[in-house]
Amino acid sequence: NIIDIRSAFIMGQGLKLSVENEADKKSREYQYLEEFVKFNNLNEELPQDLAKEAEVEGRCLVRLIPDPEKKQIAIRFISYSANNYKITTRDNDYLKYDKATYMSEGKEVVLEANEFVYKRFAGRVDKVNDVMPKCGMVLRHVEDLDKALVDWRKINHLFAAPTPYFKCGTEQEASKLQAFLEKIKWNIGKALCGTAEFSLVGMTDGGKDSIEKEIITLCKIISGATGVPVHFLGLPDLMSNRAVSTDLFEFINASTNKERLMWAGFYEELFDKVLRMAGTISEIGRAHV
C-alpha cells in the first residue's frame, strides 16, 4: 500500500510529451517519440510499474532493444533483485555511466552506455551501486506492525470467548454437573438451576493497551519515514483537528518531489538515446531532443 501510494504521487497521471514550440509537434523526432510512447505503453501502465519497481529497489535500469521489423525500440526493465547488475562509470566520473553488466541464463550480458538508461533514487551521490530504498529503512517497523496486529487479533479473540465456570462444593458434585452439562449440550442462553455458583472467567487485558500503543507508534514512524500520511495507513482518527486536506497532500508531495524530478530526467535521457539509436533502424537520421 505504501509503495502504491508513493508511486501514484510520484508518477501522477503518467507520461506526456511536451514541447516549448507547438510547431515542433510536426517534426519527425516528435512524431517518432509519440509512436515510441505508444509502442512501449508509456502512455498507459508502464510508467506506474517502473515507479513501483524503483520504490522497491531504489533504482531503475531499462534496456533499449531495437526492433528493425517495426522500426521501433522496445524498452525492458532489468530487475536488480533478480539480476544483481553492476553499473560501471567512465574516467572515475560517478555521473557518467559507462556499462551495465549482469548474468542472464548463465551468460554475461554487457550493455554499453547507449543501450541502457539507469537512475538511482536513493543512496549517496557518488555510490553508484550502493542503494537503499526509502521504504527499506522501515521494513522492520512494517514487520513489527504486522506482528502486533496478529497479536491484537489473538487477544481480542480470547476476550470475545469467556469461559463459563461453575463452583461446586465437592469433586463428586463437579463431576456430576460436568456430565449433566455435556448430556444436555448446555451453552450460554439456556436456563439452568442448581447449587453451583456460576461465573464467567477470562484473561486479563493487561497487555491489550500496550499493543494498541505499539501499533499507533509504529504507524507514526512509518508515516514519517515514507511520507505517507497516517490516514492512508488506515488510522484517520490520529489526524489532528487542525489538519486539513491540503496540508496532508503537501506532506506526501514534499516527500516525493525529488523522485518526480529524477523521473523527468530519466525520461529525457531515455528519449535522447532512443532518437540517437533510431537513426540505425529508421530513416529519421541521427537526432537529439
Side-chain angles (χ1 to χ4, degrees):
N1 185 41
I2 292 171
I3 289 173
D4 286 342
I5 291 173
R6 281 185 53 83
S7 61
F9 275 87
I10 289 170
M11 195 50 57
Q13 298 299 318
L15 181 68
K16 293 182 180 179
L17 293 175
S18 64
V19 291
E20 293 182 0
N21 190 345
E22 287 295 318
D24 291 336
K25 290 186 176 182
K26 298 180 180 179
S27 66
R28 288 182 295 175
E29 288 86 354
Y30 183 87
Q31 293 175 6
Y32 185 85
L33 286 178
E34 277 196 323
E35 292 300 321
F36 168 78
V37 167
K38 295 177 182 178
F39 182 74
N40 289 282
N41 291 326
L42 286 172
N43 58 337
E44 296 178 356
E45 76 281 357
L46 186 59
Q48 196 75 262
D49 289 339
L50 292 179
K52 290 171 63 176
E53 294 294 342
E55 284 295 299
V56 173
E57 298 187 346
R59 66 194 91 188
C60 182
L61 172 66
V62 297
R63 180 179 182 181
L64 279 62
I65 305 174
D67 189 337
E69 182 180 349
K70 296 184 179 180
K71 293 184 179 181
Q72 263 298 345
I73 299 169
I75 60 173
R76 294 293 182 266
F77 170 75
I78 307 297
S79 170
Y80 177 80
S81 57
N83 298 280
N84 193 28
Y85 55 77
K86 181 179 180 180
I87 305 296
T88 56
T89 58
R90 184 189 315 164
D91 301 328
N92 295 323
D93 186 347
Y94 57 82
L95 290 179
K96 295 181 180 179
Y97 304 141
D98 189 36
K99 294 181 180 180
T101 308
Y102 62 94
M103 299 298 294
S104 178
E105 298 180 353
K107 297 180 181 180
E108 185 181 57
V109 179
V110 179
L111 302 179
E112 299 297 332
N114 63 332
E115 296 178 303
F116 71 89
V117 179
Y118 175 70
K119 185 71 71 175
R120 295 177 302 108
F121 295 89
R124 302 292 298 274
V125 175
D126 60 336
K127 304 297 182 182
V128 178
N129 294 287
D130 188 9
V131 179
M132 170 63 75
K134 178 174 288 190
C135 292
M137 304 300 294
V138 291
L139 280 179
R140 180 174 63 84
H141 299 84
V142 173
E143 291 177 356
D144 290 344
L145 175 59
D146 183 64
K147 293 175 182 177
L149 289 171
V150 173
D151 293 341
W152 205 20
R153 176 67 188 90
K154 289 181 178 179
I155 289 176
N156 287 335
H157 176 70
L158 293 175
F159 285 146
T163 303
Y165 176 72
F166 296 88
K167 184 178 180 180
C168 300
T170 63
E171 182 178 349
Q172 181 180 6
E173 183 181 347
S175 299
K176 184 177 180 181
L177 178 59
Q178 180 71 29
F180 175 73
L181 293 176
E182 293 177 354
K183 179 180 179 182
I184 65 173
K185 298 180 180 180
W186 180 85
N187 53 44
I188 296 178
K190 289 185 177 181
L192 193 65
C193 299
T195 58
E197 182 180 343
F198 173 78
S199 64
L200 291 173
V201 297
M203 297 185 65
T204 62
D205 60 351
K208 186 177 180 181
D209 293 339
S210 176
I211 291 181
E212 184 177 1
K213 291 179 181 178
E214 179 186 5
I215 291 172
I216 293 175
T217 302
L218 287 171
C219 284
K220 290 179 179 179
I221 294 173
I222 294 169
S223 174
T226 62
V228 177
V230 288
H231 69 290
F232 282 174
L233 299 177
L235 296 173
D237 53 305
L238 293 184
M239 291 189 297
S240 169
N241 291 333
R242 295 186 300 273
V244 294
S245 59
T246 55
D247 294 334
L248 295 171
F249 282 108
E250 284 179 3
F251 178 42
I252 191 169
N253 278 331
S255 177
T256 56
N257 183 61
K258 174 187 173 183
E259 287 80 359
R260 280 195 298 275
L261 295 175
M262 295 183 72
W263 275 113
F266 173 90
Y267 284 108
E268 286 178 1
E269 181 181 350
L270 175 66
F271 292 157
D272 183 69
K273 290 186 176 181
V274 163
L275 289 176
R276 293 180 185 275
M277 183 179 287
T280 63
I281 59 173
S282 67
E283 299 176 356
I284 71 168
R286 189 175 179 85
H288 61 86
V289 176

